[in-house]
Amino acid sequence: QESKMEGALRELLFSEADFSSLNASVMRGLVELEARCGAVLIKEAAAHLAAEHRAIGVALRALDDLAAPLAAFAARFQPDSAQTGDETGASPRSDDGPSPQERLRT
């Protein structure tokens, strides 16, 4: 009876050692898989960021190319101080009555 119990205990200890070894092997495999997946994700993210960087660069160059034509277009709608008789360049306010400069002239 005692030898059966010793054999069963020995078998249990060997089984636990095998399970522990298998568990460690599985954990190593999971860590390696996570590392490989992480590397793939980092590469994909880097490629995506590089593409976004290129697109932003193209957009900035396009905006730079449009800056002068847009400024020229907007200048056509700015009041000319020589035409309005206003040396300060302020636009007249028709809704509030005469401007402070016009009030001083009268």
Side-chain angles (χ1 to χ4, degrees), residues 2-40:
E2 201 175 298
S3 70
K4 281 185 180 181
M5 287 182 70
E6 283 179 8
L9 282 173
R10 203 173 295 122
E11 192 174 316
L12 177 64
L13 288 174
F14 288 135
S15 295
E16 285 181 350
D18 287 345
F19 176 77
S20 179
S21 175
L22 179 62
N23 192 29
S25 176
V26 167
M27 294 305 288
R28 270 193 305 274
L30 286 173
V31 168
E32 289 173 7
L33 181 62
E34 285 177 354
R36 278 189 251 140
C37 288
V40 168

Side-chain angles (χ1 to χ4, degrees), residues 16-104:
E16 285 181 350
D18 287 345
F19 176 77
S20 179
S21 175
L22 179 62
N23 192 29
S25 176
V26 167
M27 294 305 288
R28 270 193 305 274
L30 286 173
V31 168
E32 289 173 7
L33 181 62
E34 285 177 354
R36 278 189 251 140
C37 288
V40 168
L41 289 174
I42 289 171
K43 285 180 188 176
E44 290 294 321
H48 180 72
L49 287 174
E52 282 185 348
H53 183 36
R54 284 190 299 274
I56 289 171
V58 168
L60 286 173
R61 284 190 296 279
L63 285 173
D64 286 343
D65 291 345
L66 287 174
L70 287 174
F73 178 76
R76 295 190 331 194
F77 299 99
Q78 297 297 320
D80 186 11
S81 62
Q83 289 178 347
T84 61
D86 187 7
E87 285 79 28
T88 63
S91 61
R93 300 182 309 188
S94 60
D95 56 334
D96 292 338
S99 70
Q101 289 89 0
E102 290 173 302
R103 279 189 228 139
L104 288 173

